[in-house]
């Protein structure tokens, strides 16, 4: 086969090598615009796993690469004058130039034709002259642009500025991140050794800081001198160097995140940065390039036609690339938001940095560096006020809010049971809640309990408006307090426009077949065309509902609840005031956020006035309407939280969505946690995270990274009332309290878990 390879970077060269290895009869020409040793950048990192893949494909080049590798195991983070080192991370670095020279040499040996200073302007010519064309022409691929309507590239220019520099200062003991506070804002460096006397030194900062420094008006030399001044204390008198001589301007870049809908067209395939980029902070661009090269070379030899080979290549590589891109996006966004975390304690900041891509979990960190994780856990327990046994996972740290003391950070999230009769909890509720209170969570919520019969969502919802309700709830609360260590929180709310609907397992949010009651809301915006058009509330409605909230809170207090939550989320009555999608009012309760928050805050103040001083109140919000700028955005949620915090709300329970059918949520593991993270770290308000959190590892990493103070799990507690006790057994934590009659069950479970651990260890 006659193959033209456009671009002689890692993707192009390694593809040429891989093709020749599979069939020396192929005629392969690599066209590269630069000279052989004229390359941008300094070092690149590869993992041991990638090296093994290279060795399996071509032991010769892998060995040569290995000979030139700098290895390091540690990551050092320099922040607030503290250098924190953790180990077990296993990286290796090589100079990009060295890598390319080795690959060029290997390609030549195998008979690949290398043409340098060969600029390719139009890929079409090669498509007719050759059997196959590989476009590996990098980030700014002209080929991708030439066939933009086929490949449909999506290019997102990210907001941070960075410049790829080098230095002779040694960073040979650790991959080092340095954060420096300057008069213009934070600037940080990613530094790693790649040969005996050179290290990569990538400098990054926000656009605002970059503008304030005036980097845009500086020459490259002035930029470098400024960076040298910023990092003087870390450079040991060494200079910073740029080798991007062929790049015009200052050499500062914004990272472009590239995705393409397709990677092939006729006899041409895209590869490497031309097809997809992964942010440099997880160092995977070269890995993607060379692993894709191996895959395509394989398929071109296993499949009968080019088309089938290309289809297989796209299928096989796309998932891998998306996985890495997702980790890279998390990491990139972490650096974009890093100023939010820079005030964290250095221990927590370091943890947050290490887990930023969400590829490294809490237990994974324990495997890498048990000593460091142990000290981080001890720090967490100490700052949480734990007195005994500091070596426990963060989920088992105590938490204090006003006079409320929780044994641990796990919360049974509120979940409507739809089993009440006229608002009265039944035996179902008694068994359901008491069982979960025995399950070890520090805090147990009851479902949204409604302040009036019209405020119910369904006829099966519980209430706080009749004496029978009080007696039934009190029986549950008394059991919880007498028999368990859990605390119990009453969530109170009013259904508003989503009221008078069928129970969840019949048809969520569908109007009742008969017996509907009138509903009201901020404005006459129905939940769906099938639902009633709610009555826009007038002032007397607002007074009435506010007073109902107060009466419900008073009842909750008489029942003995330890904490109260106001349900201001999910499209119910108060939520209908907060979201601009449902609030169309033109009076002082509509329009600006200040106006939309006026009534919600009024209710809070009225409730706070009757709720005992020593007991906390939380508010659940939908931190994202998932409807773009038309609805509440995560940024606006920060302002909402600030207003709640200013009013005296003790903790924000950060949920999202369910406010409008226009929502286009993006689901995933822990998908709402970023909103809690943002609120907590931008306002300093305490938060709870919720949403698709189901592993002990998730809970521990959220807490340890300072993304929330408490973690709510809903569905996992439907599947397993004893989720916390089981998590403790899994983690080998013996500090949790089991009910006395269940102790033999506990002992067996721990024995079995230990045996399992030993067996897994042996395998
Ligand atoms: C700051 C920074 C740090 C990075 N750090 C790492 C890291 O640590 N680890 C890692 O794995 N990756 C890293 N990368 C990414 C890595 O450099 C790329 O992902 C990788 O080089 C992609 O390989 P490629 O062959 O697809 O593209 P490139 O390496 O960009 O190669 C493309 C080649 O095509 C040539 N070319 C382009 N257009 C034409 C044309 N029209 N005609 C002829 N030739 C052309 C270019 O000159 C170039 O040689 C980093 C990137 C940046 C920006
Ligand atoms: C059956 C069910 C009922 C729910 N009822 C309520 C409720 O009464 N109040 C509330 O704020 N959230 C309610 N939710 C939402 C949960 O509290 C939680 O926010 C959501 O399920 C996401 O958490 P998860 O992924 O752990 O399930 C309910 C969820 C479920 C599954």
């Amino acid at each position: 086969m006659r193959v033209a390879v456009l671009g002689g970077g890692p993707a192009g060269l390694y593809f040429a090598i891989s093709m020749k290895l599979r069939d020396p009869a192929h005629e392969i020409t690599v066209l590269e615009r630069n000279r052989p040793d004229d390359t941008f950048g300094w070092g690149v990192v590869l993992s041991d796993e990638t090296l093994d893949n290279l060795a399996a494909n071509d032991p010769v080049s892998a060995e040569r690469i290995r000979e030139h590798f700098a290895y390091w195991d540690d990551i050092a983070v320099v922040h607030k004058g503290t250098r924190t080192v953790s180990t077990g991370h296993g990286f290796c670095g090589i100079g990009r130039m060295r890598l390319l020279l080795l690959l060029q040499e290997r390609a030549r040996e195998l008979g690949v034709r290398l043409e340098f200073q060969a600029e390719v302007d139009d890929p079409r010519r090669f498509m007719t002259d050759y059997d196959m064309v590989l476009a590996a022409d990098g980030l700014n691929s002209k080929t991708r642009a030439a066939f933009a309507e086929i490949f449909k590239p999506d290019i997102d220019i990210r907001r941070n500025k960075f410049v790829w520099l080098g230095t002779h200062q040694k960073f040979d003991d650790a991959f080092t991140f340095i954060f420096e506070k300057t008069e213009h804002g934070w600037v940080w460096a990613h530094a790693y050794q790649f040969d005996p006397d050179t290290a990569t030194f990538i400098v990054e900062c926000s656009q605002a800081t970059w503008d304030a420094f005036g980097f845009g008006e500086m020459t490259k030399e002035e930029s470098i001198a400024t960076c040298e001044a910023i990092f003087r204390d870390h450079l040991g008198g060494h200079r910073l160097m740029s080798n991007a001589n062929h790049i015009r301007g200052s050499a500062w870049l914004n990272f472009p995140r590239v995705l393409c809908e397709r990677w092939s067209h006729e006899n041409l395939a895209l590869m490497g940065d031309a097809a997809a980029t992964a942010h440099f902070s997880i160092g995977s661009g070269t890995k993607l390039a060379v692993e894709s090269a191996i895959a395509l070379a394989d398929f071109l030899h296993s499949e009968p036609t080019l088309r089938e080979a290309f289809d297989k290549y796209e299928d096989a590589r796309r998932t891998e690339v998306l996985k890495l891109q997702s980790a890279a996006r998390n990491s990139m966004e972490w650096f974009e938001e890093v100023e939010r975390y820079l005030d964290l304690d250095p221990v927590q900041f370091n943890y947050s940095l290490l887990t930023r891509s969400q590829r490294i979990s809490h237990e994974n960190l324990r495997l890498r560096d048990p000593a460091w994780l142990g000290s981080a856990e001890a720090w967490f327990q100490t700052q949480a006020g734990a007195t005994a046994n500091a070596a426990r996972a963060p989920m088992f740290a105590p938490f204090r809010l006003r006079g409320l003391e929780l044994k641990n950070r796990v919360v049974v999230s509120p979940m409507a049971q739809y089993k009440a009769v006229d608002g009265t909890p039944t035996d179902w509720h008694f068994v359901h809640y008491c069982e979960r209170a025995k399950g070890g969570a520090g805090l147990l919520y009851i479902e949204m309990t409604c302040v009036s019969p019209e405020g119910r969502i369904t006829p099966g919802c519980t209430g706080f408006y009749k004496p029978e309700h009080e007696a039934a709830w009190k029986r549950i609360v008394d059991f919880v307090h007498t028999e368990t260590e859990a605390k119990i929180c009453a969530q109170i709310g009013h259904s508003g426009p989503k009221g008078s609907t069928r129970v969840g397992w019949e048809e969520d949010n569908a109007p009742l077949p008969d017996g509907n009651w009138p509903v009201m809301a901020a404005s006459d915006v129905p939940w769906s065309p099938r639902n009633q058009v709610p009555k826009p509330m007038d002032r007397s409605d607002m007074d009435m509902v506010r007073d109902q909230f107060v009466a419900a809170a008073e009842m909750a207090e008489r029942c003995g609840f330890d904490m109260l939550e106001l349900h201001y989320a999910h499209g119910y009555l108060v939520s209908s005031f907060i979201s601009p999608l449902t609030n169309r009012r033109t009076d002082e309760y509509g329009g600006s956020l200040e106006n939309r928050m006026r009534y919600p805050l009024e209710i809070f103040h009225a409730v706070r006035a009757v709720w005992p001083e020593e007991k906390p109140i939380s508010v659940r919000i939908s931190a994202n309407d998932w409807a773009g700028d038309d609805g509440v955005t995560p940024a606006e949620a920060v302002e909402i939280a600030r207003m709640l915090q200013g009013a005296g709300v003790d903790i924000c329970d950060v949920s999202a969505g369910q406010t409008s059918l226009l929502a286009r949520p993006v689901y995933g593991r822990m998908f709402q946690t970023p909103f809690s993270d943002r609120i907590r770290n931008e306002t300093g308000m305490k938060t709870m995270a919720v949403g698709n959190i189901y592993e002990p590892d998730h809970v521990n990493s959220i807490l340890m990274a300072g993304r929330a103070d408490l973690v709510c799990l809903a569905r996992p507690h439907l599947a397993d009332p004893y989720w916390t006790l089981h998590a403790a057994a899994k983690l080998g934590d013996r500090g949790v309290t089991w009910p006395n009659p269940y102790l033999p069950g506990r002992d067996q479970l721990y024995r079995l878990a230990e045996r399992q651990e030993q067996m897994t260890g042996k395998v």
Side-chain angles (χ1 to χ4, degrees), residues 357-392:
S357 74
Q358 293 183 24
R359 278 191 308 183
I360 300 177
S361 69
H362 194 76
E363 291 310 313
N364 190 264
L365 267 183
R366 197 186 306 283
L367 290 178
R368 288 172 184 231
D369 191 346
W372 183 79
L373 191 73
S375 69
E377 287 185 334
W379 169 84
F380 192 90
Q381 294 286 343
T382 309
Q383 57 87 42
T387 43
N389 191 7
R392 298 186 75 189

Side-chain angles (χ1 to χ4, degrees), residues 713-734:
L713 291 85
R715 291 165 299 170
H717 279 113
L718 292 181
D720 181 3
Y722 298 155
W723 190 89
T724 306
L725 295 183
H726 290 161
K730 212 162 142 183
L731 297 173
D733 183 289
R734 290 180 176 273

Side-chain angles (χ1 to χ4, degrees), residues 550-572:
V550 169
E554 287 170 332
M555 186 178 283
E557 160 57 9
R558 290 195 298 276
C559 295
F561 282 95
D562 303 296
M563 174 173 163
L564 195 66
E565 175 165 289
L566 305 180
H567 196 342
Y568 284 7
H570 302 169
Y572 298 119

Side-chain angles (χ1 to χ4, degrees), residues 240-507:
L240 289 176
M241 308 173 282
S242 162
N243 67 357
N245 290 328
H246 58 289
I247 298 178
R248 283 180 299 276
S250 70
W252 284 92
L253 301 167
N254 289 72
F255 182 78
R257 198 275 290 118
V258 176
L259 301 170
C260 284
E261 235 171 66
R262 295 198 52 190
W263 293 352
S264 65
H265 172 53
E266 297 176 358
N267 65 341
L268 178 144
L270 275 189
M271 188 179 283
D273 277 7
T277 58
H279 192 248
F280 58 85
S281 60
I282 66 160
S284 291
T286 308
K287 167 193 166 72
L288 284 181
V290 294
E291 290 179 349
S292 291
I294 298 173
L296 181 57
D298 270 343
F299 291 127
L300 286 168
H301 291 86
S302 65
E303 301 308 305
T305 63
L306 265 191
R307 175 60 15 230
E308 282 161 278
F310 285 175
D311 286 348
K312 284 248 160 106
Y313 157 67
E314 287 198 35
D315 267 7
R317 293 300 300 158
R318 192 171 284 281
T319 322
E320 278 309 300
V321 168
L322 283 176
K323 261 199 247 161
L324 260 178
Q325 278 193 322
S326 154
R329 191 195 52 231
N330 292 334
S331 174
M332 174 179 76
E333 288 177 353
W334 189 89
F335 279 104
E336 287 174 351
E337 301 296 346
V338 70
E339 299 193 18
R340 185 191 292 164
Y341 307 115
L342 283 159
D343 285 332
L344 291 175
D345 182 279
V347 176
Q348 194 155 44
F349 179 77
N350 196 14
Y351 183 95
S352 175
L353 184 148
L354 292 174
T355 54
R356 69 192 183 281
S357 74
Q358 293 183 24
R359 278 191 308 183
I360 300 177
S361 69
H362 194 76
E363 291 310 313
N364 190 264
L365 267 183
R366 197 186 306 283
L367 290 178
R368 288 172 184 231
D369 191 346
W372 183 79
L373 191 73
S375 69
E377 287 185 334
W379 169 84
F380 192 90
Q381 294 286 343
T382 309
Q383 57 87 42
T387 43
N389 191 7
R392 298 186 75 189
M395 65 188 275
F396 300 117
F399 184 65
R400 198 186 167 94
L401 211 49
R402 295 199 183 221
L404 175 71
E405 281 185 43
L406 302 180
K407 289 281 287 187
N408 62 54
R409 308 289 181 113
V410 182
V411 179
V412 178
S413 200
M415 280 179 289
Q417 297 297 298
Y418 309 117
K419 296 285 268 184
V421 176
D422 283 336
T424 308
T426 62
D427 284 352
W428 175 271
H429 297 89
F430 185 80
V431 173
H432 171 76
Y433 288 118
C434 296
E435 201 56 9
R436 275 143 194 85
K438 286 190 287 175
L443 181 64
L444 167 73
Y445 265 73
I446 61 161
E447 64 207 90
M448 174 171 122
T449 293
C450 310
V451 300
S452 67
E454 306 75 39
R456 289 175 305 165
I457 309 165
T458 75
C461 289
T462 50
F464 270 134
Y465 49 86
K466 284 167 88 175
E468 300 89 294
H469 302 166
E470 187 172 327
W473 282 125
K474 186 167 186 325
R475 184 166 163 249
I476 294 171
V477 173
D478 286 348
F479 178 94
V480 171
H481 286 159
T482 315
E483 299 290 354
T484 79
E485 292 180 337
K487 302 294 180 197
I488 183 163
C489 174
Q491 186 189 54
I492 60 175
H494 188 298
S495 55
K498 291 171 94 174
S500 188
T501 53
R502 303 183 72 165
V503 299
W505 57 82
E506 284 176 3
E507 198 185 351

Side-chain angles (χ1 to χ4, degrees), residues 6-13 31-34 38-40 43-46 96 100 118-121 136-142 162-164 175 192 200 202 253 255 271-274 276-289:
L6 316 182
L13 289 171
L31 297 122
E32 165 58 46
R33 64 149 69 112
N34 291 328
D38 177 17
T39 182
F40 71 93
V44 295
V45 288
L46 292 172
R96 179 181 157 92
L100 292 183
E119 175 78 37
V120 175
D121 284 316
D137 48 353
L139 205 54
N140 301 311
S141 169
K142 283 188 181 170
F162 71 94
V163 58
W164 203 355
F175 192 121
Y192 52 94
T200 297
I202 302 171
L253 301 167
F255 182 78
M271 188 179 283
D273 277 7
T277 58
H279 192 248
F280 58 85
S281 60
I282 66 160
S284 291
T286 308
K287 167 193 166 72
L288 284 181

